Amino acid sequence: MLIVMNHSATQEQIRSVEKAVEAMGLQASPIPGSERTAIGVLGNQGYVDDSTIRELPGVVECIHVSKPYKLVSRDFHPEPTIVEVGPVKIGNGLPPVVMAGPCSIESEAQMLASARVVKAAGAQILRGGAFKPRTGPHSFQGLGVEGLKYLRRAGDEAGLPVVTEVMRIEQLDDVCRYADILQIGARNMQNFDLLKEVGKRRHPVLLKRGMSATLEEFLAAAEYIVAEGNGQVILCERGIRTFEKATRNTLDLSIVPLIRKMSHLPIIVDPSHATGIRALVPVMSKAALVAGAHGLMVEVHPEPEKALCDGAQSLTGEGFATLMGELSGLLKYLGY
Amino acid sequence: MLIVMNHSATQEQIRSVEKAVEAMGLQASPIPGSERTAIGVLGNQGYVDDSTIRELPGVVECIHVSKPYKLVSRDFHPEPTIVEVGPVKIGNGLPPVVMAGPCSIESEAQMLASARVVKAAGAQILRGGAFKPRTGPHSFQGLGVEGLKYLRRAGDEAGLPVVTEVMRIEQLDDVCRYADILQIGARNMQNFDLLKEVGKRRHPVLLKRGMSATLEEFLAAAEYIVAEGNGQVILCERGIRTFEKATRNTLDLSIVPLIRKMSHLPIIVDPSHATGIRALVPVMSKAALVAGAHGLMVEVHPEPEKALCDGAQSLTGEGFATLMGELSGLLKYLGY
Amino acid sequence: MLIVMNHSATQEQIRSVEKAVEAMGLQASPIPGSERTAIGVLGNQGYVDDSTIRELPGVVECIHVSKPYKLVSRDFHPEPTIVEVGPVKIGNGLPPVVMAGPCSIESEAQMLASARVVKAAGAQILRGGAFKPRTGPHSFQGLGVEGLKYLRRAGDEAGLPVVTEVMRIEQLDDVCRYADILQIGARNMQNFDLLKEVGKRRHPVLLKRGMSATLEEFLAAAEYIVAEGNGQVILCERGIRTFEKATRNTLDLSIVPLIRKMSHLPIIVDPSHATGIRALVPVMSKAALVAGAHGLMVEVHPEPEKALCDGAQSLTGEGFATLMGELSGLLKYLGY
Amino acid sequence: MLIVMNHSATQEQIRSVEKAVEAMGLQASPIPGSERTAIGVLGNQGYVDDSTIRELPGVVECIHVSKPYKLVSRDFHPEPTIVEVGPVKIGNGLPPVVMAGPCSIESEAQMLASARVVKAAGAQILRGGAFKPRTGPHSFQGLGVEGLKYLRRAGDEAGLPVVTEVMRIEQLDDVCRYADILQIGARNMQNFDLLKEVGKRRHPVLLKRGMSATLEEFLAAAEYIVAEGNGQVILCERGIRTFEKATRNTLDLSIVPLIRKMSHLPIIVDPSHATGIRALVPVMSKAALVAGAHGLMVEVHPEPEKALCDGAQSLTGEGFATLMGELSGLLKYLGY
């Protein structure tokens, strides 16, 4: 950490800050500049809490050099993480993986139809939501455990591993029983208790970026999971909230190569939630793979116009098959 | 809902949209304009899910007239809600209420000292966190149930009701046993399961605005609680995330009079989390009351420089006493 | 426009709003719903100013159906615009065009070297800034007209048309004399006087998106230029300002296919300013083309480590040649 | 500046960075930490351009300690600036000043009526726009020089100094002839040429914050003006662009006490543009003064329902008189 002092800070103020640093068991190393003094803080193992320093007299700001994550950082762990879900492998150097299926599980028939459609088109993993977070209390809230069973049956029939969201710790046992990947939704990215619990399980985790989470917070959330012993974490960019309302969210695609540079965890992209517009999903899927995404998560519904949730951003089975055909050409171009 | 069609939409496309609306059990009422046709949707009770309409051929956009909340709306329920916490009442026409105390409960001694300090200065409610959401896994995570007991004891000794955050449903029984108000933190504003559970309890709820929640989402979150039968909800503005980083968050004070106009629920302000800067807390506390806030939530720590959390935004006991003295003059000016 | 009334709006309030609409020379068409009345506004040619209606008693909100642009809209003008710059053509169905060169013109030698490098690698247009907007007054501000001459000479020598930013109306004659494309920078996207003046010229215009401009505002800015008679406008996405600071801006790539759908103007992408990170420029260039961009604007500097401006986001000549080699493979995949 | 190196940066990489720093004429001072090395940069006079350093191998980030402003900083110039406009003085320790009038000048009669109304209610400065920046080209664009004359006449008749926006350098002579304060609008906050030109004049300048400008950029823009020799600058907070659309902009009131702490320039607030909602203007005006604003800029129109611009956020004459009555009580409370 670097503590920046006022231009007019007194020697006494500088000395007080040094003392406060030393009281934290750290060393203070003043760096006198032509305009002001800065004080380097040495000896810390990881992130330093600046809250007791920041408001001392003469302090302008505290600048962090260490990050609130380390285990997920490529700087400390250069080797890429490969996440394994049954026969499917996700990570650096491997062909991108497509997870597809409906936003929410509505019936057994719908899941079986969805599974067949996405399997036939070439998807490797089946998705479907049994527990749904919805903005208003009067919307469809998901089928719960019954839905999990439909998902599992559909996955088994099609020979596809399945991923589904877990929203609460109490759901964790059920979700672990029926699903292959535990998805943490954007709204729960900083539900730290939930992160710790999934960190204690052995299932791979799909962690979605919170809609107003910075890259640093995103990686720190993953750190919670890895710190508990579960290193099988897949990150997922799904759009952030900005002033622009023409798309549902703003897909932050530049984060993909940046995460590849900063972390060893695989990063996939969800163009369906990011854009919220069906017509943009195929083109942004391709852009995501070119940007370096290790996979995609795409909403597909056999009959989007009858979907109970997010129909407008779901591809039809036909649309998805067309996309998968196009992706196959793209993968060839990309060398897979 | 109003469905806006393309300038060049065909009669056939318009007819298809009408049919889709009718399939939802609603009436479609076309409004031909000089540039394009729009289709009014009538007959709905509340918010309409547009996702099956939005991507039909010829549709430009779906515009919502109904809101995803109704019970918390002043339009439907003009009478103000008064929240009662023991002898303390919060709401329209009543003197603003001050909740104060440390960010996190660190020890029994610290809580007792805090309670004495804030009581002596005139606070009506004691705050303190037993379960702490922290960005990184390596920070102090709170004392848990042990902390709740300290909080209760400190509140009882000082004769102050207490408020504390509940982060998970499993904590709810404990928190209900020891606390008078259940706080839902900003990160959990859209933890809908948790909202529903607190909606089934009889404790008043303090609902903090999510850091990237719109006014509409904020009110829809409160609707979840009220819809379960618990109408004793206090809203709390605590700053939103913007591009500006000079303050921890951007305090959105204009939302206060706007919420007073749109909802019958009381709205308070937390200037400590909003600004993150101790020196700004007193002045923004006063601005909040002038903007119409029904109360304040202020972080106070007997020794901020030793706080385990958020020391830089906590007032000292002395600073808080000064603030309360100033507020007393302000309240007189405001007519209380 | 649709005017949404309060649930509890009186007949008298509804009648007053109707009168206010009629006073604007428009027709009011009430649409009674089960929860509230809405009032359709008919007869307008284009965007309606709602400011006199919005605050009338009983009005909740005014919802716009017409957009503040029409000439640039594909809905009204389905044919794609092809922008012609000497022998170079930009627009739908044509191979994407690459504009490259240094952020700022520093010397004749630097421009000649840059032109040779980007020409050899295959760029079609040379860029370079003579007038530089800089955040602080103590940074390098550009060479002015002298720089324009260097740019022209370098372009002529290499056989490349040139593009450069015009910041003020008084610079317009000079810029028109020496440049082939007039660039309007992000900070001037809503400098409406400047937009109108370039609209009166016959030079093609490159209009960069303002860093906090919505899609609607971006297209409305282009409308200013086209409305004056100059239809040769190229739009340029260059990143928007969000809470995320890991990249210089957030590249909003989804806007590219959306603009292709909504407007007939070509849209290119500037990955250098969007990301601010050299290592991300090549990968995001490729993602942009896959997303449908009609071209790229890339910063290239013969010696980035000596650049007077934006060195960290500039490719070296070698780096640019590598990128162009990769793009050539990508264009083949894309069918050009 | 502090340069943060990778955990795994080699000695050679560190040495290269040191050399690059020295090539800039500065000293490099390595600070070895337990996790990584950081390199302090000493010897700079003001802000250091990091663009040639940021992308060197092994560099993680460059952290700025110096700010891109100095003349406007309280750290270097502790004495408050008092801006004088005829008999009116604005700044620390003085009663807040109210500037009021219509958004745009529509006719001589309208300006004379406005001037009488705001004078009678107690405003000290008259505002009115002759040159209007409008989002779309089909809206009313202002009366130009003719409007300036109406403004001057109205101000003279009422005995009020006048403020009006200058949008282009060519308008500067005219605006200086007729106005007492030169307003730089939000869209022009980074129109650096314009800033420099008004910096060469002797008229006081009212600088509005750009709608996506950080505090640092806002102060750096003021630095442009002061650096040219004109120290009579009034800052104006007028709301920033965020995801929240319930108000026109988000009024960032916390910036007021923060600017008072960081700069010696006066800071006023424009609640009309910030909220865009007439009913919020009075309450946010009061909150602004309590937050420490040195003044207010309020839109007042004799007949808002007939205004050509921004009617919905304009107070009526009567509404303004009521507000001024309330402010008079507030000023007494504030000790003026």
Side-chain angles (χ1 to χ4, degrees):
Chain A
M1 191 166 68
L2 187 77
I3 302 164
V4 181
M5 301 298 293
N6 257 327
H7 168 68
S8 50
T10 63
Q11 279 309 312
E12 195 182 347
Q13 288 173 337
I14 294 171
R15 193 62 207 116
S16 293
V17 171
E18 290 176 33
K19 274 187 194 157
V21 169
E22 287 154 8
M24 295 165 79
L26 305 170
Q27 292 106 59
S29 160
I31 313 164
S34 57
E35 290 191 344
R36 55 179 84 242
T37 292
I39 300 171
V41 175
L42 306 176
N44 53 306
Q45 299 294 332
Y47 201 72
V48 179
D49 190 334
D50 65 11
S51 59
T52 59
I53 304 284
R54 226 161 61 207
E55 291 287 303
L56 292 178
V59 172
V60 176
E61 56 179 333
C62 292
I63 295 170
H64 291 279
V65 174
S66 298
K67 298 296 181 190
Y69 53 84
K70 192 167 175 177
L71 300 171
V72 304
S73 152
R74 184 178 282 280
D75 195 9
F76 288 89
H77 301 84
E79 282 307 302
T81 288
I82 304 298
V83 174
E84 306 200 16
V85 190
V88 182
K89 293 181 182 178
I90 307 171
N92 261 14
L94 299 166
V97 165
V98 178
M99 311 182 182
C103 174
S104 61
I105 300 165
E106 299 165 11
S107 69
E108 185 162 20
Q110 172 239 26
M111 275 318 297
L112 290 170
S114 299
R116 278 175 217 134
V117 157
V118 305
K119 170 71 176 186
Q124 290 102 324
I125 293 174
L126 178 66
R127 58 152 290 160
F131 305 104
K132 301 303 304 175
R134 302 300 296 274
T135 304
H138 311 303
S139 306
F140 175 64
Q141 309 277 327
L143 291 184
V145 176
E146 201 55 30
L148 291 177
K149 293 178 187 168
Y150 300 157
L151 175 68
R152 179 76 269 164
R153 221 166 291 160
D156 285 348
E157 208 207 70
L160 293 173
V162 301
V163 54
T164 199
E165 180 170 352
V166 54
M167 288 175 63
R168 302 166 36 171
I169 292 175
E170 309 90 277
Q171 299 163 349
L172 203 43
D173 286 340
D174 282 326
V175 174
C176 282
R177 181 167 317 120
Y178 295 108
D180 302 295
I181 305 179
L182 312 175
Q183 177 178 325
I184 304 291
R187 286 187 182 79
N188 274 319
M189 192 204 82
Q190 293 196 318
N191 183 336
F192 301 118
D193 284 318
L194 182 58
L195 297 179
K196 285 186 216 163
E197 287 301 319
V198 301
K200 291 173 188 153
R201 306 294 173 122
R202 291 287 73 81
H203 281 62
V205 180
L206 177 70
L207 178 67
K208 292 197 135 188
R209 183 183 185 185
M211 75 175 151
S212 63
T214 61
L215 174 58
E216 186 167 308
E217 290 166 340
F218 192 16
L219 293 177
E223 183 92 356
Y224 264 95
I225 301 170
V226 177
E228 295 291 333
N230 187 350
Q232 292 278 294
V233 177
I234 306 162
L235 303 172
C236 180
E237 158 64 22
R238 43 76 72 204
I240 56 174
R241 175 156 283 186
T242 72
F243 62 84
E244 178 58 83
K245 295 288 175 278
T247 44
R248 182 170 175 176
N249 296 285
T250 296
L251 177 59
D252 182 11
L253 218 47
S254 309
I255 217 76
V256 171
L258 197 53
I259 284 180
R260 286 181 67 122
K261 199 178 152 192
M262 295 176 64
S263 177
H264 50 85
L265 297 177
I267 163 83
I268 71 167
V269 168
D270 173 348
S272 306
H273 281 89
T275 65
I277 300 174
R278 184 187 303 150
L280 300 190
V281 170
V283 68
M284 297 316 294
S285 294
K286 286 180 260 181
L289 294 190
V290 170
H294 297 103
L296 296 171
M297 178 164 239
V298 180
E299 285 191 4
V300 178
H301 195 287
E303 298 175 287
E305 67 286 0
K306 295 191 185 158
L308 295 180
C309 165
D310 285 347
Q313 69 195 32
S314 295
L315 296 182
T316 59
E318 201 180 335
F320 180 66
T322 305
L323 169 60
M324 291 300 285
E326 292 172 10
L327 289 188
S328 134
L330 179 61
L331 292 186
K332 233 170 274 162
Y333 159 73
L334 292 172
Y336 295 110
Chain B
M1 191 165 71
L2 187 77
I3 302 164
V4 181
M5 302 298 294
N6 257 326
H7 167 67
S8 50
T10 62
Q11 280 308 315
E12 196 181 347
Q13 288 173 337
I14 293 171
R15 193 62 208 117
S16 294
V17 171
E18 289 176 33
K19 273 187 195 155
V21 170
E22 287 154 8
M24 295 165 80
L26 304 171
Q27 292 105 59
S29 160
I31 312 165
S34 56
E35 290 192 343
R36 57 178 82 243
T37 292
I39 299 171
V41 175
L42 305 177
N44 54 304
Q45 300 292 333
Y47 201 72
V48 179
D49 190 334
D50 65 10
S51 59
T52 59
I53 304 284
R54 226 162 60 207
E55 291 288 302
L56 292 178
V59 172
V60 176
E61 58 179 331
C62 293
I63 295 170
H64 291 279
V65 174
S66 299
K67 300 294 181 191
Y69 53 83
K70 192 167 174 177
L71 300 171
V72 305
S73 152
R74 184 177 282 281
D75 196 7
F76 288 89
H77 300 83
E79 283 305 302
T81 289
I82 304 299
V83 173
E84 305 199 18
V85 190
V88 182
K89 292 180 183 178
I90 306 172
N92 261 15
L94 299 167
V97 165
V98 178
M99 312 181 181
C103 174
S104 62
I105 301 165
E106 299 165 10
S107 70
E108 184 163 21
Q110 172 240 22
M111 274 317 298
L112 289 170
S114 299
R116 277 174 217 134
V117 156
V118 305
K119 169 72 176 186
Q124 289 102 323
I125 293 175
L126 178 66
R127 61 151 289 160
F131 305 104
K132 300 304 305 172
R134 302 300 297 273
T135 304
H138 311 304
S139 306
F140 173 64
Q141 310 276 327
L143 292 183
V145 177
E146 202 55 29
L148 290 177
K149 293 179 187 168
Y150 300 158
L151 175 67
R152 179 77 267 167
R153 220 166 289 160
D156 285 347
E157 207 206 70
L160 294 173
V162 301
V163 54
T164 199
E165 181 170 351
V166 54
M167 288 176 64
R168 302 167 36 172
I169 292 175
E170 310 90 277
Q171 298 163 350
L172 203 44
D173 286 340
D174 282 328
V175 174
C176 282
R177 182 167 316 120
Y178 295 110
D180 301 295
I181 305 179
L182 312 175
Q183 178 178 325
I184 304 292
R187 286 187 184 78
N188 275 319
M189 192 204 82
Q190 293 197 317
N191 183 334
F192 300 118
D193 284 319
L194 183 57
L195 297 179
K196 284 187 218 163
E197 287 300 319
V198 301
K200 292 175 187 151
R201 305 293 172 125
R202 292 287 71 83
H203 281 62
V205 179
L206 178 70
L207 178 66
K208 291 196 137 191
R209 183 182 184 186
M211 76 176 152
S212 64
T214 62
L215 174 58
E216 185 166 310
E217 291 166 340
F218 191 15
L219 292 178
E223 182 92 355
Y224 264 96
I225 301 170
V226 177
E228 296 290 333
N230 187 350
Q232 293 277 294
V233 177
I234 306 162
L235 303 171
C236 181
E237 158 65 23
R238 44 73 76 203
I240 56 173
R241 175 156 284 187
T242 72
F243 62 84
E244 178 58 82
K245 295 285 176 281
T247 44
R248 182 170 175 178
N249 295 285
T250 296
L251 177 59
D252 182 11
L253 219 46
S254 310
I255 216 77
V256 172
L258 198 53
I259 283 180
R260 286 181 67 123
K261 199 179 151 191
M262 295 176 65
S263 176
H264 50 85
L265 297 176
I267 164 83
I268 71 168
V269 168
D270 174 347
S272 306
H273 281 89
T275 65
I277 301 174
R278 185 187 303 151
L280 299 192
V281 171
V283 67
M284 296 317 292
S285 294
K286 286 180 262 182
L289 294 190
V290 170
H294 296 103
L296 297 170
M297 179 165 236
V298 180
E299 287 192 3
V300 178
H301 195 287
E303 298 175 288
E305 69 286 358
K306 295 190 185 159
L308 296 179
C309 164
D310 285 346
Q313 68 196 32
S314 296
L315 296 181
T316 59
E318 200 180 338
F320 181 64
T322 304
L323 169 60
M324 290 300 283
E326 291 172 10
L327 290 188
S328 135
L330 179 60
L331 292 186
K332 232 170 275 162
Y333 159 72
L334 291 172
Y336 295 110
Chain C
M1 191 166 70
L2 186 77
I3 302 164
V4 181
M5 302 298 294
N6 256 327
H7 167 67
S8 50
T10 62
Q11 279 309 313
E12 196 180 347
Q13 288 174 337
I14 292 171
R15 192 62 206 117
S16 294
V17 171
E18 289 176 33
K19 275 188 194 157
V21 169
E22 287 154 9
M24 296 166 78
L26 304 171
Q27 291 106 57
S29 161
I31 312 165
S34 56
E35 289 192 344
R36 55 178 84 242
T37 292
I39 299 171
V41 176
L42 305 176
N44 53 306
Q45 299 293 334
Y47 201 72
V48 180
D49 189 334
D50 65 10
S51 60
T52 59
I53 304 284
R54 225 162 61 207
E55 291 287 303
L56 291 178
V59 172
V60 175
E61 58 179 332
C62 292
I63 295 170
H64 291 279
V65 174
S66 298
K67 299 294 183 193
Y69 54 84
K70 191 167 173 177
L71 300 170
V72 305
S73 153
R74 184 178 283 280
D75 195 7
F76 288 90
H77 300 83
E79 282 309 300
T81 288
I82 304 299
V83 173
E84 304 200 19
V85 190
V88 182
K89 293 180 184 178
I90 306 171
N92 262 15
L94 299 166
V97 166
V98 178
M99 312 181 181
C103 174
S104 61
I105 301 165
E106 299 166 11
S107 71
E108 185 162 20
Q110 172 239 24
M111 274 318 298
L112 289 170
S114 299
R116 277 175 217 133
V117 157
V118 304
K119 170 73 176 184
Q124 291 102 323
I125 293 174
L126 178 65
R127 60 153 289 161
F131 305 104
K132 300 303 304 172
R134 301 301 297 274
T135 304
H138 310 304
S139 304
F140 174 63
Q141 309 277 325
L143 291 183
V145 177
E146 202 55 29
L148 291 177
K149 294 179 187 168
Y150 299 159
L151 175 67
R152 179 77 269 165
R153 220 166 290 160
D156 285 348
E157 208 206 71
L160 294 173
V162 301
V163 55
T164 200
E165 179 170 352
V166 54
M167 287 175 64
R168 300 166 39 171
I169 291 175
E170 308 89 278
Q171 298 164 349
L172 203 43
D173 286 339
D174 282 328
V175 174
C176 282
R177 182 168 316 120
Y178 294 110
D180 302 295
I181 304 179
L182 312 175
Q183 178 178 325
I184 304 291
R187 286 186 183 80
N188 275 319
M189 191 203 82
Q190 293 197 319
N191 184 335
F192 301 118
D193 284 318
L194 183 58
L195 297 179
K196 285 186 217 165
E197 286 300 320
V198 301
K200 291 174 188 151
R201 306 293 173 122
R202 292 287 72 83
H203 280 61
V205 179
L206 178 70
L207 178 67
K208 292 197 136 189
R209 182 182 185 187
M211 77 175 149
S212 63
T214 62
L215 173 58
E216 186 167 307
E217 290 166 339
F218 191 16
L219 293 178
E223 182 93 354
Y224 264 95
I225 301 170
V226 177
E228 296 291 333
N230 187 350
Q232 292 279 293
V233 177
I234 305 162
L235 303 171
C236 180
E237 158 64 23
R238 42 75 75 204
I240 56 174
R241 174 156 284 185
T242 71
F243 62 84
E244 178 58 83
K245 296 286 176 280
T247 44
R248 182 171 174 177
N249 294 286
T250 297
L251 177 58
D252 182 12
L253 219 47
S254 309
I255 215 77
V256 172
L258 197 53
I259 283 180
R260 287 181 67 122
K261 199 179 152 192
M262 294 176 66
S263 177
H264 50 86
L265 298 176
I267 164 83
I268 71 167
V269 168
D270 173 348
S272 306
H273 281 90
T275 64
I277 301 173
R278 184 187 303 150
L280 300 191
V281 171
V283 66
M284 296 317 293
S285 294
K286 286 179 262 181
L289 294 190
V290 170
H294 297 104
L296 297 170
M297 178 165 238
V298 180
E299 286 193 3
V300 178
H301 195 287
E303 297 175 288
E305 68 287 359
K306 295 190 184 160
L308 296 180
C309 165
D310 286 346
Q313 69 195 33
S314 296
L315 296 181
T316 60
E318 200 179 337
F320 181 65
T322 305
L323 169 61
M324 291 301 283
E326 292 171 9
L327 290 188
S328 135
L330 178 61
L331 292 186
K332 232 170 278 161
Y333 158 71
L334 291 172
Y336 294 109
Chain D
M1 191 166 69
L2 187 78
I3 302 165
V4 181
M5 302 298 293
N6 256 328
H7 168 67
S8 50
T10 62
Q11 280 309 312
E12 196 181 346
Q13 288 174 338
I14 293 171
R15 192 62 207 116
S16 293
V17 171
E18 289 176 33
K19 273 187 195 157
V21 169
E22 287 154 8
M24 296 165 79
L26 304 170
Q27 291 106 57
S29 161
I31 312 164
S34 56
E35 291 192 343
R36 54 179 83 243
T37 292
I39 300 171
V41 175
L42 306 176
N44 53 305
Q45 299 293 331
Y47 201 73
V48 179
D49 190 334
D50 64 11
S51 59
T52 59
I53 304 285
R54 225 161 61 208
E55 292 287 303
L56 292 177
V59 172
V60 176
E61 58 180 331
C62 293
I63 295 170
H64 291 278
V65 174
S66 298
K67 299 295 180 191
Y69 53 85
K70 192 167 174 177
L71 299 171
V72 304
S73 152
R74 185 178 281 281
D75 196 8
F76 288 90
H77 301 83
E79 282 307 301
T81 289
I82 304 298
V83 173
E84 304 199 18
V85 190
V88 182
K89 293 181 182 178
I90 306 172
N92 261 14
L94 298 167
V97 165
V98 178
M99 312 181 181
C103 174
S104 63
I105 301 166
E106 299 165 11
S107 70
E108 186 163 18
Q110 173 238 22
M111 275 317 298
L112 290 170
S114 300
R116 278 175 217 133
V117 157
V118 305
K119 171 70 177 188
Q124 290 103 324
I125 292 175
L126 178 65
R127 60 153 288 161
F131 305 104
K132 301 304 305 172
R134 302 301 297 272
T135 305
H138 310 303
S139 305
F140 174 65
Q141 309 276 326
L143 292 183
V145 177
E146 201 55 30
L148 291 177
K149 293 179 187 168
Y150 300 158
L151 176 67
R152 179 76 270 163
R153 221 166 290 159
D156 285 348
E157 208 207 69
L160 294 173
V162 301
V163 56
T164 200
E165 180 170 352
V166 53
M167 287 174 64
R168 301 167 38 172
I169 291 175
E170 309 91 276
Q171 298 164 348
L172 203 43
D173 286 339
D174 282 327
V175 174
C176 282
R177 181 167 317 120
Y178 295 110
D180 301 295
I181 306 179
L182 312 175
Q183 178 178 325
I184 304 292
R187 286 187 183 78
N188 275 318
M189 193 204 81
Q190 293 196 318
N191 184 335
F192 302 118
D193 284 317
L194 183 58
L195 297 179
K196 284 186 216 161
E197 286 301 320
V198 301
K200 291 173 189 153
R201 307 293 172 122
R202 291 287 73 82
H203 281 61
V205 180
L206 178 70
L207 177 68
K208 291 196 135 188
R209 182 183 186 185
M211 76 174 152
S212 63
T214 61
L215 174 59
E216 186 166 309
E217 290 166 339
F218 191 15
L219 292 178
E223 183 92 354
Y224 264 95
I225 301 170
V226 177
E228 295 292 332
N230 187 350
Q232 293 278 294
V233 178
I234 305 162
L235 303 171
C236 181
E237 158 65 22
R238 44 75 73 204
I240 56 174
R241 175 157 283 187
T242 72
F243 63 83
E244 177 58 81
K245 294 288 176 277
T247 45
R248 182 170 174 178
N249 295 285
T250 297
L251 177 59
D252 182 12
L253 218 47
S254 310
I255 217 77
V256 172
L258 198 54
I259 284 180
R260 286 181 67 123
K261 198 178 153 191
M262 295 176 65
S263 177
H264 49 85
L265 297 176
I267 165 82
I268 70 167
V269 168
D270 174 348
S272 306
H273 280 89
T275 65
I277 300 174
R278 184 187 304 150
L280 300 191
V281 170
V283 67
M284 297 317 293
S285 294
K286 287 179 262 182
L289 294 190
V290 170
H294 297 103
L296 297 171
M297 178 165 238
V298 180
E299 285 192 4
V300 178
H301 195 287
E303 298 176 287
E305 68 285 0
K306 295 191 185 159
L308 296 179
C309 164
D310 284 348
Q313 69 196 32
S314 297
L315 296 182
T316 60
E318 201 180 336
F320 181 64
T322 305
L323 169 60
M324 291 300 284
E326 292 171 9
L327 290 187
S328 136
L330 179 61
L331 292 186
K332 232 169 276 160
Y333 159 72
L334 292 172
Y336 296 110

